[in-house]
Amino acid sequence: MNARTTLPRRGGLERRIRRKGWLFILPATLIIAAVSFYPMVEAFLLSLQSGKGNALKWAGFSNYERLFRDKAFLAALYNTFFYLIIQVPIMLTLALVLASMLNDKTLKGKGIYRTMIFLPCATSLVSCAIVFKQLFSANGFFNSILFQLDLIKEPLPFLTQAVWARFIIIITMLWRWTGYNMVFYLAGLQTIDSQVYEAARIDGASVTQQFFRITAPLLKPVILLTTVLSTNGTLQLFDEIRNMTNGGDPANGTLTLSAYIYRLTFLNVPTFGYASAVAYVIFILVAVLAFIQLKVGESK
């Protein structure tokens, strides 16, 4: 018998394997479609309707046109990018530096340091926001210390002036999320062979040169991952704003897009169509920025 007729065709075998693979991923695909893609489609259709409460009517893209005239939306967009541009680079740089320091095999007690830095991630966002709100309130810890040192005559407006409040929110986010990203970098550093650093030291490379020539390039996939995740999280910032500045005070000075959606949906008379349009702005921003970051990461 000819061997060619006894062996199964390669193409037929690959098709059977592919069909079985689809059967394995089909349940997860259906669940994702039901709980993610279907609501996305419904939200987009809802964004094309206007009205308050349940009295909705078809309005086309009028909600999206309204965005450009809405001062509250523009303020929320500005504040969101303010947090994104300042907080994310500082947080990721600090996390990478801390991970590099705590990856030193000669460091004593590094387990305790790692736990202490990661511990804020174990606290709930609401608890974290409330604690920092108390620390920076008019009669809080920091104003009390400044009074005792005779550095101020009246309480500093940490949470009642927009500029101060934005930076206090950024400090809160740094405290909460730096350890989270540090764990990613620490896991990546432990996959790098220590002989690479030993060879660099023999060649006379300084610690700074090792960091920029070895650590950063080899951690590029992890850095890209944390950048995308941090960007996504910052664009959806809500808990800190809601609990520290009552959802955007003073005068929308700390308002974010997610907090504005909450206001449109639950605090005022519900305008579900317009709130859905704002939500789709977040969706588009997340998609576009993630795409840009991935392309930049690939090109480098």
Side-chain angles (χ1 to χ4, degrees):
M1 182 179 292
N2 191 343
R4 186 175 180 181
T5 60
T6 58
L7 295 175
R9 293 183 178 180
R10 183 178 179 85
L13 179 61
E14 290 180 349
R15 282 194 297 271
R16 287 197 294 272
I17 293 175
R18 193 180 299 112
R19 284 197 296 267
K20 290 181 180 179
W22 275 108
L23 288 176
F24 279 108
I25 68 172
L26 183 61
T29 303
L30 293 176
I31 293 174
I32 293 173
V35 303
S36 182
F37 291 112
Y38 175 72
M40 286 168 54
V41 174
E42 286 293 321
F44 178 71
L45 295 177
L46 184 59
S47 71
L48 301 178
Q49 303 177 53
S50 64
K52 296 183 178 181
N54 294 324
L56 298 175
K57 60 181 180 180
W58 187 261
F61 289 93
S62 62
N63 284 327
Y64 294 94
E65 296 174 358
R66 175 184 169 185
L67 293 174
F68 298 99
R69 304 187 304 269
D70 187 352
K71 293 183 179 180
F73 168 79
L74 295 176
L77 186 65
Y78 170 82
N79 293 331
T80 301
F81 272 93
F82 182 88
Y83 300 131
L84 177 66
I85 293 171
I86 295 180
Q87 183 259 341
V88 171
I90 295 175
M91 177 182 65
L92 297 184
T93 302
L94 185 59
L96 184 55
V97 172
L98 289 172
S100 300
M101 295 172 60
L102 295 177
N103 193 49
D104 186 358
K105 294 182 179 180
T106 63
L107 180 64
K108 295 182 180 180
K110 57 184 176 182
I112 298 176
Y113 297 136
R114 292 175 181 177
T115 303
M116 291 174 61
I117 296 173
F118 180 76
L119 195 59
C121 300
T123 61
S124 69
L125 288 170
V126 175
S127 300
C128 174
I130 292 175
V131 168
F132 273 83
K133 182 179 180 179
Q134 293 300 320
L135 289 174
F136 289 98
S137 63
N139 57 350
F141 174 78
F142 284 98
N143 270 318
S144 299
I145 293 296
L146 294 174
F147 269 120
Q148 292 177 8
L149 296 175
D150 201 25
L151 295 176
I152 57 175
K153 299 300 182 181
E154 57 183 17
L156 292 177
F158 287 121
L159 297 175
T160 57
Q161 189 175 3
V163 176
W164 281 103
R166 292 193 198 107
F167 282 103
I168 298 305
I169 291 170
I170 289 174
I171 292 172
T172 306
M173 295 168 64
L174 290 174
W175 183 83
R176 176 66 169 74
W177 293 109
T178 299
Y180 175 83
N181 291 281
M182 182 201 70
V183 171
F184 283 97
Y185 294 142
L186 195 57
L189 285 170
Q190 292 175 354
T191 64
I192 301 176
D193 193 345
S194 60
Q195 293 180 355
V196 178
Y197 292 100
E198 293 176 3
R201 283 193 291 269
I202 293 173
D203 290 339
S206 63
V207 175
T208 304
Q209 290 174 328
Q210 292 176 40
F211 180 82
F212 287 104
R213 299 293 180 87
I214 299 175
T215 303
L218 292 178
L219 285 181
K220 187 184 76 172
V222 184
I223 294 173
L224 183 60
L225 171 66
T226 54
T227 302
V228 173
L229 292 177
S230 300
T231 300
N232 187 6
T234 305
L235 289 174
Q236 301 179 63
L237 181 64
F238 173 75
D239 295 84
E240 292 86 346
I241 309 301
R242 177 61 187 162
N243 291 283
M244 294 181 67
T245 61
N246 197 28
D249 293 337
N252 297 332
T254 60
L255 184 67
T256 60
L257 293 174
S258 294
Y260 189 43
I261 293 172
Y262 178 83
R263 180 186 297 180
L264 292 171
T265 307
F266 298 105
L267 296 185
N268 303 327
V269 178
T271 52
F272 298 116
Y274 188 57
S276 296
V278 179
Y280 249 84
V281 170
I282 298 179
F283 170 75
I284 294 171
L285 290 174
V286 169
V288 170
L289 291 177
F291 178 78
I292 294 173
Q293 290 164 350
L294 290 172
K295 285 300 180 181
V296 171
E298 290 175 0
S299 64
K300 291 186 178 181

